[in-house]
Amino acid sequence: MSNTPETPAALNRRTLLGRTAAAGLLATPVVSLLGACATSGSDETTTKAEEGTKSAANPLGVAEDAPLEVVIFNGGYGEKYATDVHEPLYKKAFPKAEIKHQSTQAVSTVLQPRFASGNPPEFVNNSGEKLIDFGSLVADGQLMDLTELWDAPSVDDPSKKVRDTVVPGTVEAGSFNGKPYVLYYVSTVFGIWYSGKLFKDNGWAPAKTWSEFTALLDGIKSKGITPYGYAGANAAYYQWNVILTHAAKIGGTDVLKNIDNLEDGAWQQDAVKQAAQAWEEIGAKYVDKSFEGLKHTDVQLRQNQYKLALYPSGDWLEGEQKKDTPAGFDYQLMPVPSLSGSDKLPATAVRATAGEGYFVSAKSKNPRGGLEYMRQMLSVAGAKGFTEVVKAPTVVTAGSTGFAFPPGVASSQAALAAAGKDVFNLYFDGWYKELDTEARTATNELMFGRIKADAFVERIQKRADAIKKDSSVAKFTR
């Protein structure tokens, strides 16, 4: 992607992040969500952070020989972008520094003991099913304020601050109470995915209306292919995302804002009920009940085998399935269809955001090295290298210039362009892990036929109310 106004993709990502609301941390008493880390991880017992002399070549004052530990979530984007691109860039800038690399699919399992002992790694890719929610990390004082990074001169042009090289809204997207703590690095679009080849071979077209959607599912079912499905064992949030995306289209984006802000009755709004009722029927008629016990990779493999037609996910899906995708499969994204002509948003509206969160540990031994690692990530070389490895766009405006994306990401970028101003996002799952867990459980019960829509919204609302009343939980708003 180019940083010129004439480039549609650049406009897409500016539109995307320009509408990403910043999180505000309320002044609420907080009990640590990381366990008993306040004592053992206190400043008194933590090794003094290493610092070097600031200079034009070292604007953040990194100790040139200080070790740096990098922990990467090994999921849809893998770890090669770190080992093959970002870590070598840091090593080139600081050749005396030793880099320790670790990858994991269970970030919280690996890192919570480290935070509790006061010995966290410098740089963390906090993502995946088993992440540590950012709200608790902010509340516990575990995250480095990124203001100095954003105000530092960029790697490529010292006359420009780092904040001036990324799409508008990037800094705000990772801010809490006005302070930036998280770098969201990847442009992410959500929707329903299908094989362009399967659709072409059968004469099917992506649906825009609900009647078109159910007719499409009937046609798929008649061919002996499972029409729709997701993995209940570990990815039920893929489906609650679809339900809430549908609710936003039906009732407008304030539906999601009310949910995020824990407003009274937010989950029981008519738009949420209508969306839940619509998807309850999809679950009853078109979903393989065995999927509830499967993990995301199992269900995604079935789609690659042409045994499943439609699958909800974000546009990391194509890269994640690279090894199992047959030639000519042609991933394509379909936005969630409209329910009726009275919907507040058009069928083209999508949920999209800057995704994949990264942070620097404030209590690590070399936090300035962590900030510099981010500065290298946000260089043109860092962004282009990432895009070349994982085939996904970053928030660096010049990072994807001239890059030809694979079919799936190209289709998600086209969907983002078609959405125009009708792009939205939600935040509750990152703010309140307990509420996300409840939504996942209720979604499985709804989609696999154990409860109705009324019980679905009632159950999640009850948990949201309990969280709202719990003074020990840090509250966020937008």
Side-chain angles (χ1 to χ4, degrees):
M1 292 175 198
S2 169
N3 60 350
T4 59
E6 292 78 17
T7 304
L11 289 172
N12 292 348
R13 290 162 60 234
R14 289 193 183 96
T15 300
L16 165 62
L17 282 172
R19 292 176 175 79
T20 304
L25 176 60
L26 298 181
T28 304
V30 177
V31 174
S32 171
L33 301 182
L34 296 178
C37 65
T39 301
S40 60
S42 65
D43 292 336
E44 287 78 6
T45 59
T46 302
T47 303
K48 180 176 174 59
E50 299 191 51
E51 295 186 18
T53 302
K54 291 185 179 181
S55 65
N58 185 11
L60 293 169
V62 180
E64 63 179 17
D65 58 349
L68 182 77
E69 186 174 1
V70 175
V71 176
I72 299 295
F73 169 65
N74 192 2
Y77 298 126
E79 61 179 314
K80 286 181 67 63
Y81 70 86
T83 58
D84 294 8
V85 179
H86 296 153
E87 290 171 17
L89 286 174
Y90 186 90
K91 188 72 174 177
K92 182 179 179 182
F94 297 94
K96 295 180 182 180
E98 176 188 353
I99 298 178
K100 180 181 178 181
H101 173 91
Q102 181 179 4
S103 68
T104 178
Q105 292 186 340
V107 177
S108 63
T109 302
V110 171
L111 293 187
Q112 280 183 315
R114 299 281 304 275
F115 283 115
S117 65
N119 182 38
E122 279 74 29
F123 181 85
V124 178
N125 171 203
N126 188 34
S127 188
E129 180 188 3
K130 296 182 179 180
L131 54 72
I132 305 174
D133 63 287
F134 287 109
S136 69
L137 289 167
V138 171
D140 280 323
Q142 296 288 348
L143 304 192
M144 190 76 171
D145 183 343
L146 303 182
T147 300
E148 192 172 355
L149 162 73
W150 292 120
D151 287 338
S154 68
V155 171
D156 303 292
D157 183 355
S159 68
K160 285 186 177 181
K161 294 181 179 180
V162 175
R163 69 171 67 240
D164 297 326
T165 66
V166 296
V167 296
T170 300
V171 179
E172 291 78 9
S175 294
F176 297 74
N177 196 29
K179 287 187 178 181
Y181 291 104
V182 180
L183 164 61
Y184 286 108
Y185 189 63
V186 188
S187 173
T188 306
V189 185
F190 300 87
I192 300 173
W193 294 84
Y194 63 93
S195 162
K197 179 182 186 302
L198 181 66
F199 270 48
K200 183 178 180 181
D201 289 349
N202 287 278
W204 298 327
K208 295 181 180 179
T209 68
W210 200 247
S211 60
E212 289 176 353
F213 186 57
T214 54
L216 172 62
L217 297 179
D218 285 333
I220 293 169
K221 189 174 183 179
S222 71
K223 295 285 187 177
I225 301 170
T226 301
Y228 184 90
Y230 71 95
N234 70 336
Y237 63 104
Y238 287 9
Q239 182 56 32
W240 70 236
N241 172 65
V242 170
I243 294 171
L244 292 184
T245 295
H246 208 186
K249 290 190 174 187
I250 294 167
T253 57
D254 278 352
V255 170
L256 302 183
K257 185 176 181 180
N258 292 338
I259 286 174
D260 289 340
N261 291 345
L262 300 177
E263 297 287 350
D264 292 341
W267 284 91
Q268 293 173 304
Q269 296 171 96
D270 287 341
V272 182
K273 285 184 181 180
Q274 290 177 44
Q277 287 169 347
W279 286 96
E280 174 194 332
E281 294 178 6
I282 300 302
K285 296 180 180 179
Y286 304 108
V287 173
D288 186 331
K289 298 301 186 288
S290 71
F291 284 12
E292 185 171 13
L294 299 182
K295 292 189 174 181
H296 69 293
T297 48
D298 299 321
V299 179
Q300 290 165 191
L301 179 59
R302 293 200 182 194
Q303 187 178 39
N304 291 148
Q305 296 170 339
Y306 300 107
K307 297 176 181 178
L308 169 68
L310 297 166
Y311 179 78
S313 187
D315 52 8
W316 60 81
L317 175 64
E318 186 175 35
E320 188 171 53
Q321 290 301 109
K322 184 177 180 180
K323 292 181 180 179
D324 295 314
T325 305
F329 185 84
D330 189 24
Y331 269 111
Q332 295 290 302
L333 179 142
M334 177 179 76
V336 176
S338 295
L339 184 63
S340 72
S342 61
D343 286 3
K344 295 288 182 63
L345 297 179
T348 52
V350 294
R351 180 194 173 194
T353 185
E356 206 65 9
Y358 300 82
F359 68 80
V360 175
S361 300
K363 299 178 182 180
S364 63
K365 296 176 183 178
N366 183 20
R368 293 199 165 273
L371 293 178
E372 177 63 28
Y373 188 91
M374 278 190 177
R375 195 172 80 101
Q376 296 296 327
M377 282 177 69
L378 292 163
S379 69
V380 173
K384 282 189 173 181
F386 179 94
T387 296
E388 288 169 358
V389 171
V390 308
K391 309 299 187 288
T394 72
V395 297
V396 179
T397 53
S400 301
T401 303
F403 186 80
F405 288 106
V409 175
S411 75
S412 70
Q413 292 294 296
L416 191 56
K421 64 182 179 60
D422 297 310
V423 176
F424 53 86
N425 195 20
L426 52 80
Y427 300 89
F428 80 89
D429 57 320
W431 294 350
Y432 311 110
K433 191 172 182 179
E434 184 182 350
L435 188 56
D436 171 37
T437 300
E438 190 72 6
R440 295 182 189 212
T441 301
T443 295
N444 277 344
E445 293 193 343
L446 177 77
M447 294 298 293
F448 295 104
R450 293 192 296 279
I451 61 174
K452 300 293 185 181
D454 284 346
F456 169 82
V457 298
E458 182 179 351
R459 174 171 181 163
I460 307 175
Q461 185 62 59
K462 184 176 180 180
R463 184 56 57 92
D465 291 342
I467 292 170
K468 184 176 182 177
K469 294 174 182 177
D470 188 347
S471 61
S472 71
V473 178
K475 304 303 190 301
F476 301 85
T477 188
R478 67 178 177 105

